């Protein structure tokens, strides 16, 4: 088991480095843009190329794997029965990628028999890798972070997407009590800022499973609260509302929302 876990980590880091090298060399600087639901829901051929690279690399190295990827996701497939499940978000924050070529992330998460074992959030433009490995901890590049200070809402930045603010007066009051509001526009990077202690909370009205997959392990290792808005656990089976925060801030959240 330890050998498999180490092989997974070494492989993902190698693949991430290759993506970074290709990015620096301009492989992803020219791309075609398509829309999904509307003009704000973007996908590029770079998304598809990165997901294809990870998928083929994973299946070559770990042939018994099952892959849940944003660009190849099938809503009719039961991914929960997979012994070795990989969840891939090739470009998290595609709008940022298209419009400003920064503040986006490449994300890979691994689950062994339904338990999270590895999580990777790579801020490609800034060359910062946030990652977690079960039994080893959470790291920002080579720096390990063991705990996140349990600061109250009044002393914390809160990251929240605009549609969440429209849900209720309670959420607006929650944000008003915070020290201030920040929003990057990439679920991975907004959540990673909570894990790194920069933000106290990240709140989003709707996220897909590939958006929040890394935080199953990261929240567990750091003692952070992660749930949907009503406090129920998240699953990889469906999109859901999302809050990641310190326990002190979740106390305030319950006062205003739950």
């Amino acid at each position: 088991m330890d050998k498999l876990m180490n092989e997974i980590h070494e492989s993902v880091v190698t693949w991430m480095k290759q993506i970074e090298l290709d990015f620096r060399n301009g492989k992803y600087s020219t791309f075609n843009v398509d829309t999904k639901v509307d003009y704000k829901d973007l996908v590029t051929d770079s998304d598809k190329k990165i997901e294809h690279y990870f998928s083929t690399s994973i299946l070559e190295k770990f042939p018994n794997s099952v892959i849940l990827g944003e660009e190849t996701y099938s809503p009719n497939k039961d991914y929960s029965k997979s012994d070795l499940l990989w969840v891939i978000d090739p470009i998290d924050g595609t709008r940022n990628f298209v419009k400003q070529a920064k503040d986006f992330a490449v994300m890979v998460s691994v689950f062994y028999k339904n338990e999270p074992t590895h999580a990777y959030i790579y801020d490609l433009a800034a060359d910062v890798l946030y990652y977690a490995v079960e039994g080893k901890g959470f790291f920002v590049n080579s720096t390990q972070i063991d705990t996140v200070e349990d600061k109250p809402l009044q002393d914390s930045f809160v990251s929240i997407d605009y549609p969440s603010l429209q849900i209720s007066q309670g959420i607006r009051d929650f944000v008003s009590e915070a020290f201030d509001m920040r929003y990057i526009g990439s679920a991975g990077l907004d959540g990673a800022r909570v894990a790194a202690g920069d933000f106290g909370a990240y709140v989003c009205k709707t996220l897909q499973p590939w958006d929040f997959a890394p935080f199953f392990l990261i929240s567990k290792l750091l003692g952070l609260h992660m749930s949907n808005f009503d406090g129920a656990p998240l699953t990889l089976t469906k999109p859901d509302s999302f809050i990641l925060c310190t326990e002190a801030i979740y106390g305030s959240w319950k006062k205003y929302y739950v």
Side-chain angles (χ1 to χ4, degrees):
M1 181 64 178
D2 287 344
K3 181 181 178 182
L4 173 62
M5 295 298 104
N6 289 334
E7 286 180 350
I8 289 172
H9 175 65
E10 291 170 2
S11 297
V12 176
V13 171
T14 297
W15 299 332
M16 287 291 191
K17 287 179 178 178
Q18 184 61 54
I19 292 291
E20 193 269 342
L21 180 62
D22 290 342
F23 177 74
R24 303 295 170 201
N25 289 337
K27 182 175 181 178
Y28 304 112
S29 60
T30 302
F31 48 81
N32 297 313
V33 181
D34 292 320
T35 58
K36 296 180 182 179
V37 177
D38 58 32
Y39 74 98
K40 293 182 180 180
D41 189 7
L42 305 179
V43 61
T44 72
D45 49 4
S46 292
D47 293 76
K48 297 172 183 178
K49 287 176 182 177
I50 292 173
E51 182 167 321
H52 178 73
Y53 169 73
F54 274 114
S55 297
T56 54
S57 299
I58 289 165
L59 292 175
E60 181 178 333
K61 180 75 175 180
F62 306 99
N64 294 324
S65 299
V66 172
I67 296 171
L68 190 168
E70 178 180 6
E71 305 309 326
T72 54
Y73 172 70
S74 173
N76 299 318
K77 185 172 182 177
D78 184 2
Y79 293 93
S80 65
K81 295 181 180 179
S82 313
D83 276 356
L84 188 58
L85 175 66
W86 300 69
V87 183
I88 304 170
D89 190 342
I91 298 180
D92 176 62
T94 303
R95 280 178 275 185
N96 289 345
F97 172 72
V98 170
K99 296 297 185 181
Q100 58 187 24
K102 64 179 182 179
D103 295 334
F104 64 93
V106 179
M107 303 203 298
V108 174
S109 304
V110 184
F111 295 78
Y112 182 72
K113 295 186 176 179
N114 295 321
E115 292 297 323
T117 59
H118 301 73
Y120 303 84
I121 302 168
Y122 190 21
D123 184 340
L124 198 57
D127 191 21
V128 177
L129 178 62
Y130 304 86
Y131 71 94
V133 179
E134 177 62 52
K136 295 187 177 180
F138 172 71
F139 298 81
V140 181
N141 286 337
S142 59
T143 301
Q144 184 168 1
I145 296 177
D146 295 318
T147 59
V148 177
E149 185 179 354
D150 195 20
K151 293 188 291 188
L153 183 59
Q154 297 91 335
D155 293 336
S156 303
F157 287 126
V158 169
S159 174
I160 183 166
D161 74 318
Y162 178 77
S164 298
L165 284 170
Q166 311 310 308
I167 292 175
S168 70
Q169 183 61 47
I171 292 182
R172 292 191 288 275
D173 291 340
F174 170 81
V175 173
S176 296
E177 187 183 324
F179 181 76
D180 207 345
M181 188 175 84
R182 297 289 187 271
Y183 181 56
I184 299 170
S186 159
L189 296 184
D190 281 292
R193 294 295 199 282
V194 178
D198 300 320
F199 297 166
Y202 170 49
V203 178
C204 190
K205 178 177 176 286
T206 306
L207 288 183
Q208 297 290 339
W210 47 85
D211 294 317
F212 55 71
F215 299 108
F216 283 98
L217 180 58
I218 291 172
S219 63
K220 173 187 172 184
L221 294 179
L222 295 177
L224 294 167
H225 174 87
M226 184 181 86
S227 70
N228 69 11
F229 279 8
D230 295 318
L234 297 163
T235 73
L236 292 174
T237 61
K238 62 184 177 68
D240 212 335
S241 55
F242 179 85
I243 177 168
L244 177 74
C245 62
T246 65
E247 289 296 338
I249 290 177
Y250 188 63
S252 296
W253 174 263
K254 289 191 293 184
K255 178 175 68 175
Y256 287 118
Y257 182 82
V258 178

